Amino acid sequence: LARRQPAASDLRMLISLIRLVSELERIGDEAEKIGRLALQLAESSHPPDFCGDPRHLGAGVLGMLSGALDAFARLDVQAAVDVAASDQKIDTEFESLTRLLLTHVMEDPQQVKNMLRVNWCARAMERIGDHAVNICEEVIFLVKGSDVRHMPIDDIKARFT
């Protein structure tokens, strides 16, 4: 870096790629956790009937991640802002799923261990959504040169849409 003295945009690209790799590593860790917990749920002597509850959350998070990576590949700030804004839906859905699982705990206390596993899976999915938002913030940094990591989404929307 010192010898080549990259221009501002090239340096932002390097920094963004390093951060992207870090986010993808963390996403992989969360995915591994989901796989491990799903295996434990499948091998449970009394598999719970509520394991399908997080599927909608997972589909939303998968869409976010796909959108974030697409925005990064195309350097599309508007798409990145849109994906980052969808994190509020994921957070709300995670909270709703947690409340639903608490209801299941009250109805069937013997399934507490499995319900916790499902909740941990949902939490990992929610974290993947947060990492997708971080990727979107990197797109904005790369294209616009503005660090928006600590800005509320409404301020980001107002500034870049």
Side-chain angles (χ1 to χ4, degrees):
L1 288 176
R3 284 186 192 161
R4 298 217 182 246
Q5 298 178 351
S9 61
D10 294 334
L11 189 57
R12 283 197 310 267
M13 176 62 86
L14 286 172
I15 291 169
S16 294
L17 286 172
I18 290 168
R19 289 180 183 166
L20 174 69
V21 169
S22 175
E23 294 298 333
L24 291 175
E25 171 72 21
R26 291 177 179 158
I27 289 169
D29 293 342
E30 296 294 340
E32 186 266 337
K33 185 187 309 177
I34 292 169
R36 186 173 18 86
L37 291 166
L39 187 60
Q40 291 171 353
L41 282 166
E43 293 173 346
S44 173
S45 59
H46 300 292
D49 58 350
F50 52 83
C51 285
D53 294 343
R55 284 190 183 144
H56 189 262
L57 177 66
V61 168
L62 188 60
M64 274 185 73
L65 181 57
S66 176
L69 292 173
D70 185 55
F72 194 91
R74 292 184 297 118
L75 301 178
D76 186 347
V77 171
Q78 183 59 50
V81 171
D82 293 342
V83 170
S86 68
D87 185 51
Q88 293 171 336
K89 292 179 199 169
I90 297 298
D91 293 343
T92 302
E93 191 165 341
F94 170 68
E95 291 170 11
S96 174
L97 181 61
T98 299
R99 283 192 301 275
L100 179 66
L101 289 172
L102 285 173
T103 303
H104 284 299
V105 166
M106 288 185 255
E107 292 173 0
D108 189 7
Q110 295 176 342
Q111 288 286 336
V112 169
K113 193 176 209 178
N114 285 333
M115 288 179 222
L116 285 173
R117 287 177 178 148
V118 172
N119 195 46
W120 292 331
C121 284
R123 176 66 180 150
M125 289 180 216
E126 192 271 336
R127 288 294 304 138
I128 291 172
D130 292 341
H131 291 302
V133 170
N134 293 345
I135 292 170
C136 292
E137 292 169 350
E138 287 304 318
V139 172
I140 296 168
F141 171 71
L142 176 59
V143 175
K144 298 292 186 177
S146 296
D147 187 4
V148 296
R149 289 181 293 180
H150 304 292
M151 289 176 63
I153 189 63
D154 294 332
D155 293 349
I156 295 172
K157 280 185 195 178
R159 190 168 173 188
F160 296 105
T161 56

